[in-house]
Amino acid sequence: MKFLGRPEGGRLKGERLAKGAMLAAALGALLTSCWQPPFDPALSASEATVEKLGDPVLEAKVRTGSEDSGSYYLPSRDPDYRHFGYLVHKEDSGFAAHSLYYYDATNYILDSSTAYLSEGDGIGKLVMTPLFPALSTTLTLFFALDSGTGVGKLDGLSFGANYWLNADTVGFGSAPLDGTYDRLFSCSWAPADTTPTIYSLDLAGTESLASPTVSTDTPTDAPAQHFDDGCFVAISPATGYLYLSGKVAGIDRSYRWVAPSGNVWELLSGVTERLTGVLADGRLLADTGDELIVYDADGAFVFSIATGGVLRFVHERYDGAQWISVFTRTIEVPIPNEGDVYQHIEVYEIPSPELASLAR
Amino acid sequence: MAHVRQLHGDPFTPEGLVVRAVRSARGRAIAGFFAALLGLSAAATVPAEEATPKPFRVMTLLRFEPATAPTGEAGVGLDSSMGGDGVHRGAAADGTEGGLLSLGATADGTGGEATASGAAALGPGGPETGLGVSEGDWRVSLDLAAGRSVKVLEVKEAPAGVDDESALESAAREGYPILILATLRRDGAATVAEYRILDAATGRELRSGSVSSDGPRLDEAMRIFWIPLTADLDGVSPSGISATLTVRGEPGTTITGFSVAPLEIPDSGVLVIDVASPRTYAWRSRAPGLEDRAGTLTVLENASILELPSVPLRPWALGIGFAMGQFPGLEATRSFFRNRLALSLVLDQYLFGVFLPDPRDGQGEYLYLSLPMIMGGASGSYYFNGAGAALRPYGRLAGAFRFDTELLRGDPVAPFRVEANVGLQWRLGSRTSAFIEAGCSFYPWADGILMEASRSSGGGAAATVYGAWGFLEYPQFRLGLRFGL
């Protein structure tokens, strides 16, 4: 007599396969564990601020090599030529700009110039804000030399003459002077010196570098300790106060020297981060990488703006009626399997008096 | 000693299928005595045979033999105008055709016409047999008569055209312990039926008999013609291939697989049925408030017990799942429709997760990753089989709100996430199951470029598609454990 054997045999085999697949998948997931969630708090922070900035005044995309990875876009200060700019990236020794990019109106992208600046041109350490180019259509960029001893001028891709400042320069800074000029500051402080020497230099896009002048307000005494290299120095165009900010024995310290009151340095205890800029109205800026902190002229915290390090305050420009703060955001998206990246560039503007609307 | 071998069931659950051997009636009686002495559950000592009658299943094979009437006598079938004397007068066959349908054929065809009219008068039922009742109706009458026996659980007709030996083998193979072989012929005005009741396993004849009646009419054929056969069936007890299976479970439990129609466990909690042995059964049970159960059972000997576990349906559950095997999340679940539909509240997070990127990919060396985000939402899952199954495939849809704990607001880049997954849940214990899901995550109203840039250092094994419509990432895995409450 015939009997059926194991009618469920096929199902048993199927279940074993299913369980085996489950175990294999679980093990595989645990072993790989290299998935990165689609969330970047820095990008989200920048987006939170961008929502308040409104639509960008310039939006473009450029394909670059991996050497421009981590760059941000530094546009011309002339609003008519903001589609000219540099992709500036951080290097170990400072910032560098490899090439000038310009807007291709046909293809609606930014395209790079054919020439590239090389390290040998002295670009590095610290890139200064670009100068308002007056009527020029080219971008003028002033920057510190690798040696920290002078200032170079870049006019488009024409590398202009350097201007020797001082061998013992420990820091630079700039501040808008008026709608036409920026004023560049440098601080020279030899280890043997008891007091720093502050130089100022008026910069204009269409002019050669003027001879540096020692500020008439150069203090005759000094903060308690010697500043390390890389400090920020500037005189506020609104108040005339001299600010010196940077690391002193590894700790961020910011001082203010009020010339009319005498040779007295005040420690700005409210300023906890290294200052990075001075607005035309006298407010102080500190870009920490995650946020932009705004202090008043006395160093008291006013508000902070979430940037995530992706959104950058690059400069102010004067539109004939008011100062405008300019921000750029450069988002980098790798091109799969090609090594290159797409840089998605956005430029935003907001009147400087309305900066507080961007506060967290 | 009886043996019931379980081929398949719930090998991972202690409450899973329990099959016990029952040694003998004497053994059960002794066990019952001591059980009563110790005050144990009465259900444990109820002799299976006493709880309910032992039905068995029957296969029938009905043949129609040539009539003994002289050749050429026209058969007229059942005269619809015939009186109620029960005498079937006109049917005759030429006797030359033989075989199954010879009784229905007339030599000149007139009988066929009469048969047709008779059949029409009696309603559908197949070819006219020449006995006044169609062939199909005769078969139905035999099946009905067998079904009237208190011992018969179900009746099935043997495959058409088989010989006795093949019918016997079919009955044994398909789990029908009894085979009824019957022949029907005309003998003058009478219809004569001879039948044999055979033990399908051995071929042994258990009963035999014959029935003779004038006519009969259709209603007589259906109701009274086969009464002797029904009586004989009540008296047979097919041994040898038949085993007694006692099914114990919650009253009201329906169990399928041992018969065509579902069986229900009575209030006593014990159902005793006769089943073919040796044979393998794929069974399923269902009871209100309890998990469905299924298994495969091989019955080898005469008396066996199948105890159905009473595992309650657990509508509430907690779970922990690891997104991509890295980021743990929690879920609280309420199930509906016998746990086929599960609705969950889900809390996922990126505050802590295992992160082991390949240093060669330039992502650096990490052990964990912490990002300021939690995601709260809900999900709905539909399971494609019952709650008691060892493996449960399901489909899942989930939606979540992404909250940036650093900004203390919804993520401005992608505030929502929608997931579509298929999953497999593996039962580890009565309350515990493991699961793994695969699918994709969709982020509507997301800035696709920012989302892509957010994983610019490499997203691991996942691929992406993005645009102005949002951001899609696939495949996405989730694995973890669920605990019934």
Side-chain angles (χ1 to χ4, degrees):
Chain A
M1 190 163 294
K2 298 175 183 176
F3 294 101
L4 296 180
R6 294 184 175 187
E8 299 301 315
R11 200 172 75 179
L12 279 174
K13 187 177 179 183
E15 287 192 0
R16 288 196 190 102
L17 284 174
K19 290 173 181 176
M22 272 184 80
L23 287 175
L27 195 61
L30 288 173
L31 287 178
T32 54
S33 296
C34 59
W35 175 72
Q36 184 173 328
F39 170 61
D40 184 335
L43 284 174
S44 292
S46 73
E47 184 67 8
T49 302
V50 162
E51 285 178 349
K52 301 171 186 172
L53 283 166
D55 293 333
V57 294
L58 174 69
E59 196 170 14
K61 182 171 77 171
V62 62
R63 176 173 179 151
T64 71
S66 58
E67 70 275 8
D68 281 324
S69 181
S71 294
Y72 71 93
Y73 182 65
L74 187 59
S76 165
R77 291 175 70 177
D78 185 339
D80 292 334
Y81 297 96
R82 61 169 65 98
H83 49 276
F84 281 81
Y86 295 93
L87 275 177
V88 180
H89 65 274
K90 184 86 167 63
E91 292 191 341
D92 290 343
S93 59
F95 289 93
H98 273 168
S99 56
L100 172 68
Y101 287 84
Y102 61 95
Y103 189 64
D104 180 341
T106 304
N107 297 311
Y108 300 100
I109 61 169
L110 283 174
D111 203 356
S112 64
S113 62
T114 54
Y116 280 79
L117 300 173
S118 67
E119 295 291 328
D121 294 327
I123 299 175
K125 190 168 183 179
L126 193 63
V127 171
M128 310 310 297
T129 56
L131 183 66
F132 186 81
L135 298 178
S136 171
T137 60
T138 57
L139 180 70
T140 303
L141 180 68
F142 291 94
F143 54 89
L145 300 180
D146 267 346
S147 60
T149 57
V151 173
K153 177 185 177 184
L154 190 63
D155 191 357
L157 286 175
S158 300
F159 191 62
N162 300 336
Y163 194 86
W164 182 265
L165 289 174
N166 189 290
D168 297 314
T169 300
V170 295
F172 295 93
S174 70
L177 183 61
D178 54 35
T180 307
Y181 292 94
D182 271 2
R183 179 168 283 173
L184 174 71
F185 303 94
S186 70
C187 176
S188 176
W189 199 349
D193 294 343
T194 55
T195 60
T197 301
I198 309 299
Y199 294 90
S200 65
L201 189 63
D202 290 346
L203 306 174
T206 56
E207 298 173 3
S208 299
L209 290 171
S211 298
T213 56
V214 176
S215 169
T216 54
D217 295 331
T218 294
T220 54
D221 64 348
Q225 290 174 286
H226 196 283
F227 273 78
D228 300 336
D229 280 357
C231 69
F232 170 82
V233 58
I235 295 175
S236 170
T239 62
Y241 299 158
L242 172 64
Y243 296 94
L244 196 55
S245 177
K247 291 195 179 300
V248 175
I251 301 172
D252 282 321
R253 291 289 176 87
S254 295
Y255 288 91
R256 179 179 69 170
W257 184 72
V258 184
S261 63
N263 296 328
V264 176
W265 288 90
E266 299 175 28
L267 175 65
L268 301 177
S269 58
V271 178
T272 55
E273 304 289 342
R274 176 182 176 273
L275 295 174
T276 55
V278 178
L279 294 175
D281 62 7
R283 287 181 291 180
L284 310 175
L285 301 176
D287 188 345
T288 68
D290 295 328
E291 60 182 354
L292 183 68
I293 301 175
V294 179
Y295 301 98
D296 66 14
D298 297 325
F301 175 86
V302 182
F303 59 85
S304 67
I305 299 169
T307 63
V310 182
L311 183 69
R312 283 178 173 272
F313 169 87
V314 287
H315 51 242
E316 281 185 292
R317 70 174 180 84
Y318 192 69
D319 71 352
Q322 62 181 347
W323 287 93
I324 307 289
S325 291
V326 180
F327 292 83
T328 68
R329 182 168 70 166
T330 306
I331 300 160
E332 183 179 306
V333 177
I335 301 172
N337 305 320
E338 294 191 24
D340 286 358
V341 296
Y342 277 122
Q343 309 277 1
H344 294 265
I345 292 167
E346 301 159 339
V347 179
Y348 297 91
E349 292 187 346
I350 185 173
S352 295
E354 299 175 14
L355 270 179
S357 67
L358 304 180
R360 290 176 183 267
Chain B
M1 188 175 73
H3 297 282
V4 179
R5 185 150 59 89
Q6 178 186 355
L7 289 181
H8 167 71
D10 294 310
F12 303 98
T13 81
E15 296 94 329
L17 176 65
V18 177
V19 178
R20 294 197 317 222
V22 179
R23 293 181 181 278
S24 65
R26 177 185 296 175
R28 285 195 296 273
I30 294 172
F33 171 76
F34 284 105
L37 203 63
L38 295 171
L40 297 179
S41 164
T45 62
V46 171
E49 294 82 354
E50 296 171 11
T52 57
K54 296 185 297 180
F56 49 76
R57 305 195 291 178
V58 169
M59 185 173 282
T60 63
L61 178 60
L62 178 61
R63 290 200 178 90
F64 301 90
E65 290 189 348
T68 57
T71 301
E73 188 175 326
V76 296
L78 177 63
D79 185 353
S80 60
S81 62
M82 188 169 59
D85 59 2
V87 178
H88 185 64
R89 287 185 284 269
D94 59 11
T96 58
E97 296 185 6
L100 294 176
L101 298 177
S102 61
L103 291 176
T106 59
D108 58 5
T110 56
E113 292 176 5
T115 299
S117 66
L122 294 168
E128 169 58 49
T129 63
L131 298 175
V133 179
S134 71
E135 178 186 321
D137 289 336
W138 273 116
R139 288 204 170 95
V140 170
S141 71
L142 176 60
D143 295 345
L144 287 174
R148 286 192 191 100
S149 168
V150 295
K151 302 290 283 296
V152 174
L153 183 64
E154 89 185 36
V155 181
K156 178 182 180 181
E157 292 180 10
V162 299
D163 57 22
D164 291 358
E165 192 61 33
S166 298
L168 206 58
E169 185 176 326
S170 292
R173 187 175 64 241
E174 297 179 31
Y176 292 83
I178 293 295
L179 174 66
I180 299 174
L181 293 175
T183 58
L184 205 59
R185 61 183 168 79
R186 288 283 292 176
D187 185 5
T191 298
V192 178
E194 293 177 347
Y195 61 85
R196 301 166 66 209
I197 300 175
L198 303 179
D199 186 312
T202 63
R204 185 166 57 92
E205 182 177 290
L206 303 176
R207 292 281 197 284
S208 64
S210 63
V211 186
S212 177
S213 172
D214 286 349
R217 296 181 316 197
L218 178 64
D219 60 331
E220 293 168 334
M222 291 291 177
R223 292 189 291 107
I224 60 177
F225 182 79
W226 297 100
I227 284 178
L229 170 70
T230 304
D232 281 343
L233 275 175
D234 288 344
V236 302
S237 181
S239 59
I241 76 158
S242 178
T244 299
L245 176 64
T246 302
V247 181
R248 288 178 175 160
E250 291 293 318
T253 300
T254 57
I255 182 166
T256 59
F258 297 110
S259 62
V260 173
L263 303 174
E264 182 172 322
I265 296 178
D267 291 342
S268 64
V270 179
L271 174 68
V272 181
I273 55 177
D274 275 5
V275 293
S277 172
R279 190 169 178 239
T280 300
Y281 297 89
W283 58 269
R284 291 181 178 279
S285 71
R286 167 171 290 194
L290 300 181
E291 288 185 351
D292 293 350
R293 287 283 157 172
T296 304
L297 189 70
T298 295
V299 179
L300 295 177
E301 303 233 0
N302 290 337
S304 307
I305 293 177
L306 170 62
E307 290 197 354
L308 299 177
S310 298
V311 180
L313 285 169
R314 302 185 188 282
W316 291 96
L318 291 177
I320 179 170
F322 289 79
M324 301 299 276
Q326 300 171 243
F327 294 88
L330 299 174
E331 63 177 27
T333 301
R334 174 70 167 89
S335 295
F336 304 90
F337 305 115
R338 297 187 60 78
N339 289 12
R340 287 295 188 106
L341 177 66
L343 301 180
S344 304
L345 293 176
V346 179
L347 183 66
D348 290 330
Q349 55 83 36
Y350 297 145
L351 296 172
F352 174 80
V354 178
F355 188 54
L356 303 171
D358 188 341
R360 291 170 294 185
D361 292 341
Q363 297 184 66
E365 295 185 24
Y366 297 87
L367 289 177
Y368 68 91
L369 184 64
S370 180
L371 299 171
M373 172 163 283
I374 58 176
M375 290 152 287
S379 71
S381 302
Y382 180 77
Y383 288 83
F384 298 113
N385 57 6
L391 281 176
R392 301 186 70 196
Y394 61 91
R396 175 178 182 264
L397 273 178
F401 177 69
R402 288 163 45 106
F403 185 79
D404 189 325
T405 58
E406 203 167 75
L407 298 176
L408 295 178
R409 53 163 290 186
D411 180 24
V413 174
F416 299 103
R417 181 190 68 188
V418 177
E419 294 175 289
N421 302 310
V422 291
L424 197 59
Q425 186 168 301
W426 178 9
R427 190 185 188 100
L428 301 177
S430 63
R431 292 171 179 264
T432 309
S433 299
F435 69 89
I436 186 165
E437 296 167 353
C440 61
S441 296
F442 173 58
Y443 300 83
W445 307 295
D447 187 316
I449 293 174
L450 289 178
M451 288 292 280
E452 181 67 12
S454 70
R455 54 192 295 283
S456 60
S457 57
T464 60
V465 180
Y466 61 93
W469 42 267
F471 183 79
L472 181 70
E473 187 175 26
Y474 65 94
Q476 295 284 280
F477 297 100
R478 201 166 74 99
L479 52 94
L481 297 170
R482 294 192 174 103
F483 308 94
L485 300 180

